[in-house]
Amino acid sequence: MFEKVLVANRGEIAIRVMRTLEELGIASVAVYSEPDRDAPHARRADEAYLLGPGPASESYLVVEKILEVARQSGAEAVHPGYGFLAENADFARACDEAGVVFIGPPASAIDAMGSKTRAREIMAEAGVPIVPGTTDPVETVDDARRVIAESIGYPVAIKAAGGGGGKGFRVAESEDELEKAFEGASREGEKFFSDPTVYMERYLPDPRHVEVQVLADEHDNVIHLFERDCSVQRRHQKLIEESPAPAVDPELRGRIGKIGTDAARAVGYRSAGTIEGLLQDGEYFFLEMNTRVQVEHCVTEMVTGIDIVREQIKIAAGEPLGYGQEDVVVRGHAIECRINAEDASKNFAPAPGRIGSYIEPAGPFVRVDSGAEEGYEVLPLYDPMIAKLIVWDVDRVASTKRMLRALGEYEIGGLKTLIPFHQALLATEQWANGETCRDLVENKDWLKELAFPAPDKAVGEDEPEKVSREYAVEVSGRRFDVTVIGEALAANGAGPAAAAKKAPRRERKSGGGGGAPGELVSPIQGTVLKVAVEKGAAVDEGALICVIEAMKMENEITAPSAGTVEELSVSEGGSVATGDTIAVIK
Ligand code: MV4
């Protein structure tokens, strides 16, 4: 087994991996960017090293820097978590070449599954059912028109070959929408994956998103840990996940489990992976394979009792799986809610900012995987998911009640999060009936009822006096914690006590919040993809003003109230910073 492992990630998943490393008796090495110098994941590790500036392209995504830290620290293996370099075959290869074990699948499997057309071809050959459509790329709109007429029919889904997770996904209901959908999918594929190639699938009208967790070792053992249902999504971002899936009975469970292991075998898989698929009217179709540990792996851990990250690490060390298929049983029901710094009432706009008070729920069968704490600042630079709340109980009804209890205990002061959204959604009849809840997550009026009250008073007031200070220091780029105890320096002759009192923190402008009356400020930094209004236009409350792309996500910015667009400060293709004025609507 390894003695030291580098965790090439941040936030909750980095901490999640470190916990298992500690249980295995393995030392952990964190990496961090400049704004993450004091982040929980950097402090949680046995050692931590600075990578570089905040943007991921200068820190968490720089392969050479990460391998340099592996060398410097003596880490024998790298766990990539999810996101960042987790599905980067070049990174997996660079690890191999540097003699560092990549805790994940072979680079060849990442490559094969990264191309969605290759993945479909491999699966079709292996007898895995795929959504009917093309496995070869479709070159032109004319070709698309012909293939649709011959075999697929309308409605049709056009998807980018380099895509996945909904990126570069368009639907054409009829022939008049085909050209726009084709070009949209191709453009997005080019932009995000430098590949304009698209393919087509029959568009299923109201499927469920059901995925299978698989584990495969070097010794030809491939097992599945049953399924998860992730149908509650918004713009292809999963919000709530559960296991077992409410629409899957024991017969279907066996069938899709086998589809999962067949798919893993077909690509020579090793490590933990997920087969994503669509379930419609009892028929299951392969969609794509995720060659990493997923955000929602925890619900599977809760119902099977298997630590998926532990298995991943053991597999990477060459050990055989600790379980045969017959050892894996599903018990009870688990639900996960993603706790994102987002405002559901404002189109799920990102809501970065500093956390004031922070109290996590606890009690029986409640698990919180978090990367946040009191005083933590959610940065617009990174993913807005700050924590996951996972509960277990004997069945779906009991699990839902437990989740509502735990959500009620969760206190995150000074920050807008999805907690009220989850509380509202889990209380609906749609959720109770096991529906996909698509009508709710797309319903602006329903979401508007989740608006947040006026912001709390500034964080940092009335804090107790303190003359013990903790600092992070870096010695040759390696991070150490030091506690400095003594009299605080008097700032203006007012004595130690007054100086030790924290200065009130600067209030941040956030979406629709701060600013002059009628001023709409950007909650994020990004590129303006689209401007939907003109200066002088009359807009209704909730009307689309512009679309800002940040972190590969398209964020719709909407009017906080009805009025006239008196000023418009953005233009298509331009960039905006957090707090910049987008428009003045009076
Ligand atoms: C589809 C689909 C319907 N037909 N593909 C792809 C990425 C994933 N985030 C959802 N994706 C979908 N692919 C075909 N051919 C519908 C979706 C979809 C979806 C599926 C199940 C549950 C919720 C969903 C929300 C949006 C889109």
Side-chain angles (χ1 to χ4, degrees):
M1 186 40 78
F2 310 117
E3 284 180 11
K4 198 184 264 192
V5 169
L6 187 155
V7 182
N9 216 300
R10 67 183 300 282
E12 71 84 18
I13 191 62
I15 294 170
R16 159 76 190 85
V17 173
M18 289 172 200
R19 285 178 162 146
T20 287
L21 288 173
E22 185 178 323
E23 290 166 12
L24 287 169
I26 304 171
S28 55
V29 179
V31 288
Y32 60 93
S33 66
E34 284 165 13
D36 275 345
R37 187 164 274 135
D38 204 30
H41 85 274
R43 300 202 318 268
R44 178 64 179 75
D46 296 307
E47 299 168 45
Y49 294 81
L50 175 69
L51 288 174
S57 59
E58 296 171 56
S59 50
Y60 296 105
L61 289 172
V62 185
V63 172
E64 303 79 55
K65 284 190 184 173
I66 288 164
L67 290 177
E68 171 57 23
V69 173
R71 198 199 53 72
Q72 198 181 339
S73 64
E76 307 133 275
V78 174
H79 195 299
Y82 52 71
F84 294 133
L85 295 168
E87 292 179 279
N88 185 320
D90 291 338
F91 178 60
R93 266 185 216 105
C95 287
D96 293 346
E97 281 157 23
V100 175
V101 177
F102 176 74
I103 302 178
S108 58
I110 304 179
D111 266 337
M113 296 298 102
S115 160
K116 305 303 157 185
T117 44
R118 269 233 19 238
R120 280 168 63 78
E121 208 163 32
I122 291 168
M123 294 310 157
E125 271 170 30
V128 168
I130 60 173
V131 185
T134 61
T135 48
D136 289 329
V138 186
E139 306 285 343
T140 65
V141 181
D142 283 334
D143 286 349
R145 203 173 280 121
R146 189 174 45 74
V147 176
I148 293 164
E150 279 169 13
S151 58
I152 306 174
Y154 287 97
V156 70
I158 320 267
K159 301 187 179 187
K167 276 269 158 284
F169 171 25
R170 293 285 193 284
V171 180
E173 296 285 349
S174 62
E175 193 168 329
D176 1 309
E177 294 177 2
L178 180 63
E179 191 162 337
K180 194 164 164 255
F182 187 97
E183 270 151 23
S186 180
R187 201 168 2 94
E188 224 168 278
E190 170 68 45
K191 195 170 63 182
F192 292 120
F193 314 104
S194 312
D195 181 3
T197 313
V198 299
Y199 64 100
M200 299 192 294
E201 287 175 357
R202 181 187 299 156
Y203 179 72
L204 307 178
D206 191 25
R208 303 196 65 96
H209 177 121
V210 175
E211 59 188 31
V212 190
Q213 176 71 54
V214 297
L215 288 174
D217 67 15
E218 260 178 22
H219 308 275
D220 207 35
N221 301 305
V222 183
I223 64 168
H224 66 81
L225 305 186
F226 300 99
E227 81 288 353
R228 299 184 279 262
D229 188 308
C230 313
S231 297
V232 182
Q233 310 182 357
R234 159 88 201 182
R235 271 182 269 133
H236 305 298
Q237 296 295 308
K238 294 165 186 166
L239 299 169
I240 303 177
E241 303 98 344
E242 59 184 317
S243 184
V248 173
D249 63 18
E251 182 273 325
L252 185 56
R253 179 159 302 122
R255 202 145 51 81
I256 65 178
K258 182 170 180 305
I259 288 172
T261 51
D262 285 350
R265 280 187 195 283
V267 280
Y269 204 74
R270 193 185 68 220
S271 191
T274 300
I275 310 303
E276 290 199 336
L278 298 178
L279 178 66
Q280 171 114 21
D281 308 320
E283 262 197 289
Y284 189 72
F285 303 103
F286 170 87
L287 207 51
E288 60 191 65
M289 180 170 190
N290 294 322
T291 55
R292 59 165 193 274
V293 69
Q294 285 187 290
V295 172
E296 62 272 24
H297 73 280
C298 313
V299 292
T300 300
E301 294 185 327
M302 299 291 265
V303 294
T304 61
I306 295 174
D307 180 333
I308 292 168
V309 173
R310 183 159 73 199
E311 293 308 307
Q312 257 190 319
I313 295 166
K314 287 168 64 180
I315 292 165
E319 293 187 15
L321 278 176
Y323 307 85
Q325 190 65 59
E326 64 286 354
D327 300 323
V328 187
V329 284
V330 172
R331 233 181 118 241
H333 193 100
I335 303 173
E336 171 177 281
C337 287
R338 296 193 186 195
I339 311 299
N340 298 356
E342 288 175 345
D343 185 348
S345 71
K346 295 209 168 71
N347 247 313
F348 292 80
R354 195 180 288 276
I355 295 175
S357 58
Y358 182 80
I359 301 169
E360 287 180 354
F365 305 102
V366 171
R367 167 175 171 179
V368 183
D369 277 23
S370 166
E373 62 188 355
E374 189 169 317
Y376 176 80
E377 182 164 12
V378 181
L379 298 166
L381 272 174
Y382 305 119
D383 195 280
M385 196 192 76
I386 53 169
K388 304 178 309 205
L389 174 57
I390 308 112
V391 303
W392 182 92
D393 210 320
V394 291
D395 59 27
R396 192 171 190 268
V397 171
S399 203
T400 300
K401 285 185 191 153
R402 179 157 277 159
M403 180 58 90
L404 285 166
R405 185 271 289 174
L407 286 164
E409 284 180 10
Y410 214 150
E411 186 183 318
I412 306 181
L415 195 73
K416 292 172 180 172
T417 72
L418 293 185
I419 291 172
F421 165 82
H422 290 307
Q423 288 174 312
L425 191 125
L426 294 177
T428 62
E429 212 174 290
Q430 287 95 323
W431 171 265
N433 294 337
E435 293 171 22
T436 60
C437 301
R438 221 173 290 182
D439 54 334
L440 291 171
V441 297
E442 302 296 340
N443 183 335
K444 286 193 178 169
D445 292 329
W446 184 76
L447 292 169
K448 237 171 63 185
E449 291 168 22
L450 304 169
F452 287 82
D456 293 5
K457 63 173 181 168
V459 177
E461 287 173 19
D462 311 321
E463 276 184 23
E465 293 173 9
K466 192 171 158 194
V467 286
S468 157
R469 288 289 177 96
E470 282 162 30
Y471 293 92
V473 298
E474 280 157 6
V475 180
S476 305
R478 179 173 170 187
R479 183 189 182 288
F480 293 90
D481 287 315
V482 294
T483 305
V484 177
I485 304 162
E487 281 194 2
L489 292 175
N492 46 19
K501 207 163 193 169
K502 281 186 196 163
R505 285 175 180 124
R506 179 170 60 91
E507 269 217 57
R508 279 187 153 271
K509 287 181 180 181
S510 64
E519 188 184 1
L520 177 62
V521 299
S522 179
I524 41 164
Q525 173 193 320
T527 308
V528 181
L529 279 188
K530 178 175 160 184
V531 179
V533 291
E534 283 172 10
K535 194 172 163 181
V539 293
D540 290 331
E541 183 182 336
L544 181 68
I545 303 298
C546 66
V547 180
I548 299 175
E549 181 199 311
M551 300 289 301
K552 297 192 174 182
M553 283 274 300
E554 295 186 6
N555 299 284
E556 294 179 357
I557 307 296
T558 55
S561 56
T564 304
V565 181
E566 291 194 350
E567 278 177 45
L568 189 64
S569 322
V570 291
S571 54
E572 279 175 26
S575 59
V576 287
T578 308
D580 279 1
T581 304
I582 290 173
V584 176
I585 301 167
K586 285 189 178 160

